[in-house]
Amino acid sequence: MLYINGEWRQANSGETLDVINPATGDVLEQVASAGKEETKEAIEVANEAFSLWKNKTGAERGKYLMDIAQKMKSKTDSLAKTITLEMGKPLAEAKREVMSSIAYIEWYAEEAKRMYGETIPPSDPNKHLMLLREPIGVAAAITPWNFPMSMIARKIAPAIAAGCTIIIKPAPDTPLSAIRMFECFHEAGLPKGVANLLIGSAEEIGPELTGSSKVRKLTFTGSTAVGKMLIRDTANTVKNLSMELGGHAPFIVFEDADLDAAAEGAMATNFINNGQTCICTNRIYVKESIAEEFGKKLAEKTATLKIGNGMDEGTQVGPLINENSFNKVQSHVEDALKHNGKILCGGKPYERDDLKGYFFEPTVIASANDDMLIATEETFGPVAPIFTFKNEEEAIHKANDTPYGLAAYCFTKDLGRGLRMMNALEYGIVGINDAAPVTVQGPFGGYKESGIGREGGKSGILQYVEEKYVSIGMK
């Protein structure tokens, strides 16, 4: 179903999309597929609603968000089940995603009351200077399949809190999570036109969003290649952009690190969500003198991970989202072997009679080198390659030698070294002895080709406001 102007509806064309369970290959549901007409309509109603919504007080907007969060809390289990069925991640991970989504909504419900302006000291005693922060207008958000609920929450909550209206286009692989979220918006009584849901192909919906002068903000999470295309497509209307794009995260382990903690951290960042996150580790750099010991620890821990249907109790690693993802993972592993990589565990498809989806064993590869595809391409799957380095300077150089700059990790007990790495790593997110640095109140975003702008924390809501400078003559 589509959600436009506070109403559930089918597409005008009657076209639908099949939603597939990646663990079984079964069709879960058929959902309406919007086209150009529905997109234009959503833009119009969002633009009309903006004139009223922007004038609501922060407290009023925050109250709606709090009501939405309460609705979601009451449905935590069913929301998590929806995520697992259409995306494949283990149910325990899906529940954490639901709670993260709620946390973002609650955070921005409170931030709505704190959209402060500023007074500026004048250089002329006969002037009064002010800075006002006002909502941008209609925002459009394009969200990915790997976190089908929390990525919507991270965009829609600050937009609504700031006073914007918004159109959400979720990934066609995972529209059910968006529908279930919007059911909570509807039940909370969010005014018509404030939040609208368009499900369908990028070819139909995208050009209308990027080309409309009424859409003043575009926020996107996805690949760098698609992000660059959207930047080009929005140039004619000079939209405000937020882009959370690809990553190629390094994970650096020095000889003085707690190797057990580092191995646990590397396992978590490589295999959470089956390696299908933009901040998953892509390159593990380990000091030469401890590489063999570290590799053994990581492989032993990785080999214990339970693979299976995300709905089954105890599952830690689910299926890859589709055949293309599966083929990419397999090709990266095969390429690593051709370039003298050594498989320490995993390395092949995982097969079981009751599983029909795209499963691949969590894989650890030793003797990784810069000739491998995995050294430069984002795998987006459960593969952990171990590279080596000789000294701190080489580790920094190798870590930064990429067009990406989203997340980086470093494990060391040396405080001075930790501070040097913090400053030297060219990444928007750096975890020092912390493999899970992402939090609601912290900004999330990258350097270089990993994106534009930030989500989360105070930075997140400022992405949805314009700054208006006012100078008042008093003479």
Side-chain angles (χ1 to χ4, degrees):
M1 298 288 283
L2 311 177
Y3 189 76
I4 301 173
N5 202 29
E7 297 179 353
W8 294 103
R9 51 177 284 189
Q10 298 292 335
N12 294 339
S13 65
E15 291 188 12
T16 60
L17 294 172
D18 289 342
V19 184
I20 308 296
N21 183 332
T24 65
D26 296 335
V27 176
L28 294 169
E29 288 186 35
Q30 288 187 325
V31 298
S33 180
K36 295 179 181 179
E37 290 182 21
E38 294 88 350
T39 306
K40 289 177 180 177
E41 184 180 347
I43 292 169
E44 288 298 325
V45 300
N47 190 53
E48 291 174 9
F50 175 65
S51 62
L52 297 175
W53 185 248
K54 69 179 181 179
N55 292 318
K56 295 284 187 182
T57 66
E60 289 174 312
R61 296 194 293 265
K63 177 63 166 57
Y64 281 110
L65 287 170
M66 279 297 187
D67 289 346
I68 291 167
Q70 288 303 314
K71 295 291 183 183
M72 290 181 67
K73 283 181 181 178
S74 70
K75 300 180 180 183
T76 296
D77 289 342
S78 64
L79 291 173
K81 182 179 178 181
T82 298
I83 292 172
T84 295
L85 287 173
E86 70 173 349
M87 189 266 149
K89 68 177 59 175
L91 190 58
E93 282 188 31
K95 287 183 179 179
R96 288 195 291 272
E97 180 176 344
V98 174
M99 297 310 297
S100 173
S101 303
I102 293 168
Y104 276 107
I105 292 170
E106 289 180 331
W107 171 270
Y108 287 110
E110 298 194 349
E111 285 298 290
K113 298 177 288 186
R114 302 187 179 96
M115 284 302 301
Y116 303 127
E118 298 176 19
T119 57
I120 302 170
S123 52
D124 184 330
N126 295 310
K127 289 186 177 183
H128 181 77
L129 311 181
M130 294 185 295
L131 177 67
L132 307 181
R133 291 191 170 95
E134 301 177 341
I136 286 176
V138 177
I142 301 173
T143 59
W145 51 262
N146 57 339
F147 289 93
M149 198 166 289
S150 63
M151 291 299 96
I152 292 176
R154 206 159 74 181
K155 297 177 187 297
I156 202 168
I160 289 175
C164 296
T165 55
I166 192 165
I167 300 163
I168 297 286
K169 184 209 170 296
D173 286 314
T174 54
L176 299 181
S177 296
I179 291 173
R180 303 298 175 253
M181 281 189 77
F182 269 74
E183 289 172 352
C184 295
F185 300 160
H186 186 77
E187 292 171 14
L190 193 66
K192 290 183 177 183
V194 172
N196 304 275
L197 176 63
L198 295 174
I199 297 164
S201 72
E203 291 77 13
E204 286 287 313
I205 298 172
E208 298 300 323
L209 297 177
T210 57
S212 173
S213 60
K214 293 178 181 177
V215 176
R216 297 308 311 144
K217 168 79 180 184
L218 179 70
T219 173
F220 169 74
T221 296
S223 71
T224 295
V226 174
K228 290 178 178 180
M229 180 186 71
L230 290 171
I231 292 169
R232 289 192 294 269
D233 291 348
T234 56
N236 286 338
T237 52
V238 194
K239 297 192 193 308
N240 183 299
L241 297 175
S242 294
M243 296 276 157
E244 196 265 281
L245 307 177
H248 206 268
F251 190 105
I252 303 166
V253 184
F254 286 96
E255 69 277 11
D256 61 349
D258 180 330
L259 293 191
D260 286 315
E264 286 284 350
M267 185 175 71
T269 62
N270 271 276
F271 304 122
I272 189 171
N273 206 20
N274 206 8
Q276 298 173 121
T277 87
C278 51
I279 60 170
C280 277
T281 296
N282 283 85
R283 298 163 290 149
I284 302 176
Y285 292 111
V286 184
K287 183 70 179 290
E288 284 180 338
S289 59
I290 59 166
E292 184 175 350
E293 181 184 2
F294 178 84
K296 182 179 179 181
K297 286 180 180 290
L298 179 58
E300 287 175 350
K301 292 177 184 294
T302 299
T304 67
L305 294 173
K306 182 180 178 181
I307 307 168
N309 189 319
M311 294 299 296
D312 295 340
E313 186 175 354
T315 294
Q316 295 168 288
V317 178
L320 291 157
I321 188 66
N322 55 36
E323 185 177 8
N324 288 338
S325 293
F326 177 87
N327 290 340
K328 186 174 186 181
V329 170
Q330 190 165 30
S331 69
H332 275 200
V333 172
E334 291 172 352
D335 176 78
L337 291 175
K338 289 178 184 177
H339 289 92
N340 302 314
K342 183 188 299 183
I343 301 291
L344 298 185
C345 71
K348 62 184 185 297
Y350 180 79
E351 297 179 354
R352 208 169 73 194
D353 291 342
D354 62 321
L355 299 177
K356 306 300 181 184
Y358 299 103
F359 292 84
F360 202 93
E361 295 176 343
T363 300
V364 178
I365 301 174
S367 303
N369 59 71
D370 292 343
D371 294 327
M372 297 176 177
L373 289 174
I374 207 167
T376 55
E377 294 184 8
E378 187 176 20
T379 304
F380 229 64
V383 184
I386 299 175
F387 301 75
T388 61
F389 64 88
K390 294 181 174 62
N391 53 50
E392 187 176 314
E393 291 73 22
E394 183 183 12
I396 293 169
H397 172 74
K398 288 187 172 183
N400 289 338
D401 189 21
T402 173
Y404 301 104
L406 185 53
Y409 310 91
C410 174
F411 275 69
T412 177
K413 291 180 181 177
D414 185 326
L415 177 59
R417 172 180 282 154
L419 293 174
R420 290 194 299 274
M421 297 301 292
M422 174 188 76
N423 290 320
L425 290 168
E426 297 170 353
Y427 290 82
I429 303 166
V430 177
I432 304 295
N433 297 324
D434 183 4
V438 178
T439 183
V440 172
Q441 65 268 33
F444 186 105
Y447 287 14
K448 299 185 281 188
E449 294 186 19
S450 284
I452 303 169
R454 295 294 183 268
E455 294 182 330
K458 181 179 178 181
S459 301
I461 198 168
L462 293 178
Q463 303 294 312
Y464 294 91
V465 300
E466 295 278 19
E467 292 189 337
K468 179 184 287 182
Y469 164 65
V470 181
S471 176
I472 302 172
M474 299 185 296
K475 189 174 181 180

